[in-house]
Amino acid sequence: MNDVTLRQLQYFVAVAETQSITKAADRSHVSQAAVSLAITDLEKSLGVTLTIRRRAKGVALTAEGRAILTDARVMLDQAKELAERASQARNELSGPLALGCFRTLSMHVVPHLVQWFAERHPKVSLTVHEGNGREIQERMQNGQLAACVIYEAQLLSNSQPVLIQEQRRQVILSVDHELTTPEEIPLRDLAQYPAVLLDEAPALERTLNEFHSRSLEPHILLRTRSVQTAQNVIGRGLAYGLLMHRPRNSPEGRPLTGRPIADDLPRNALMMTVPPGRHTAKIRALHEALLALPDHSKE
């Protein structure tokens, strides 16, 4: 049997993830012929058929190809880890680090990470892909992202969680709102006032269930996917919001305040997720950076 090369595995993984020889070649910056030859040589070396090449329909993996794909990714990760360990021996990390971040967390997390890596590991090329919790975790599990930053409630069953910060939702109000006097506010009191709720899964469903489980119906003034829009509505005194972060002011400059929720609601911690078994030096550096993240829930 001929030796299996890392290059063959790299092209095979690219084909599996793009389902196309052409797209895999573009991603790998080589010719289509080079990718096709590498796959053919890999199949000869392993003695199995890994792909089904369908004219005008792309490339599908055989059962053997799907089984080998996981091992191929592990071997490529191990090769990266070896290079990273050599870099660590020289006190440096380098290369790409693709991160997924839940869209409403990005404004709080990404500036900190950009500065942290620029100061400590300037040769690491950080890219951030924003999206909803499920989307970015699925991209991570498909090998397109190294890790994700999400809230605990968004965690998928096959993602490995790492706790970053303990957090819970809180009531965000205009400083002139009638409810700013109590230290803690129960949901039964909130139900009497207009609310602006984030229309984002699973946050909206959880919030509605928490009211309904107490035989309460929230008075919803507005549903929005934009945290900034919610903050501006709150700042104008039109509604309260249930948010993870406590800003000092709305984007329009109106002062805001926060109060704890009196009811015993589940936490919704800030988490980093990684694929099972992947703990490269850059992931460990990312974890260190996230642990140094300021707690924006207490602003």
Side-chain angles (χ1 to χ4, degrees):
M1 182 179 75
N2 296 328
D3 290 338
V4 172
T5 69
L6 290 175
R7 187 69 67 190
Q8 291 169 352
L9 295 177
Q10 178 186 338
Y11 293 166
F12 169 63
V13 169
V15 168
E17 291 176 356
T18 62
Q19 300 180 3
S20 165
I21 296 290
T22 301
K23 292 179 180 178
D26 290 342
R27 192 168 99 173
S28 303
H29 306 292
V30 296
S31 67
Q32 295 178 40
V35 172
S36 183
L37 178 61
I39 299 299
T40 299
D41 289 345
L42 179 60
E43 289 175 329
K44 289 179 180 177
S45 296
L46 297 177
V48 294
T49 300
L50 302 175
T51 62
I52 301 172
R53 308 180 199 188
R54 305 166 297 180
R55 186 178 297 275
K57 292 185 178 180
V59 178
L61 296 186
T62 63
E64 294 84 356
R66 290 192 296 272
I68 288 171
L69 178 60
T70 298
D71 292 333
R73 285 174 171 152
V74 169
M75 293 178 69
L76 290 173
D77 281 344
Q78 289 173 338
K80 291 178 183 177
E81 176 74 359
L82 181 63
E84 288 175 355
R85 286 184 183 275
S87 294
Q88 279 188 304
R90 303 190 302 269
N91 294 319
E92 65 178 27
L93 291 176
S94 62
L97 175 59
L99 173 68
C101 188
F102 176 49
R103 63 169 68 91
T104 67
L105 270 170
S106 183
M107 61 185 290
H108 304 291
V109 172
V110 174
H112 167 79
L113 292 180
V114 171
Q115 182 175 4
W116 196 93
F117 275 95
E119 292 174 352
R120 292 165 177 80
H121 302 292
K123 293 185 179 180
V124 171
S125 176
L126 181 67
T127 56
V128 179
H129 302 263
E130 301 172 357
N132 64 50
R134 174 173 292 276
E135 173 193 353
I136 58 176
Q137 286 178 90
E138 288 177 347
R139 293 188 67 182
M140 177 187 73
Q141 291 160 2
N142 290 333
Q144 297 171 280
L145 302 173
C148 293
V149 182
I150 60 170
Y151 287 120
E152 185 173 14
Q154 300 167 320
L155 182 67
L156 299 184
S157 59
N158 46 352
S159 293
Q160 181 175 325
V162 180
L163 176 65
I164 301 300
Q165 284 180 3
E166 295 270 1
Q167 291 187 1
R168 296 179 184 273
R169 282 166 298 163
Q170 52 194 304
V171 186
I172 306 301
L173 303 153
S174 162
V175 294
D176 299 322
H177 199 285
E178 293 179 32
L179 286 172
T180 55
T181 301
E183 282 302 309
E184 294 187 341
I185 305 176
L187 293 181
R188 67 175 180 272
D189 289 351
L190 291 175
Q192 302 174 41
Y193 294 88
V196 52
L197 299 182
L198 286 183
D199 193 4
E200 193 75 65
L204 180 61
E205 182 179 355
R206 293 182 78 204
T207 298
L208 294 177
N209 286 341
E210 285 155 357
F211 278 96
H212 294 162
S213 67
R214 293 166 174 82
S215 300
L216 300 171
E217 188 66 39
H219 174 195
I220 303 175
L221 176 68
L222 176 69
R223 302 183 187 192
T224 177
R225 297 181 69 186
S226 168
V227 173
Q228 290 84 359
T229 297
Q231 290 173 352
N232 281 334
V233 171
I234 295 166
R236 292 179 181 221
L238 301 173
Y240 70 87
L242 299 176
L243 303 176
M244 297 299 300
H245 298 279
R246 183 192 302 179
R248 295 185 181 90
N249 297 287
S250 71
E252 292 179 329
R254 292 181 169 90
L256 302 176
T257 187
R259 294 290 185 273
I261 300 172
D263 303 73
D264 185 20
L265 303 184
R267 75 173 191 183
N268 195 17
L270 181 65
M271 313 289 285
M272 178 181 80
T273 65
V274 295
R278 295 192 184 183
H279 297 284
T280 66
K282 278 185 283 193
I283 293 299
R284 290 192 292 272
L286 175 63
H287 184 210
E288 181 183 353
L290 288 170
L291 289 178
L293 185 71
D295 189 347
H296 292 284
S297 67
K298 299 177 181 177
E299 287 186 351

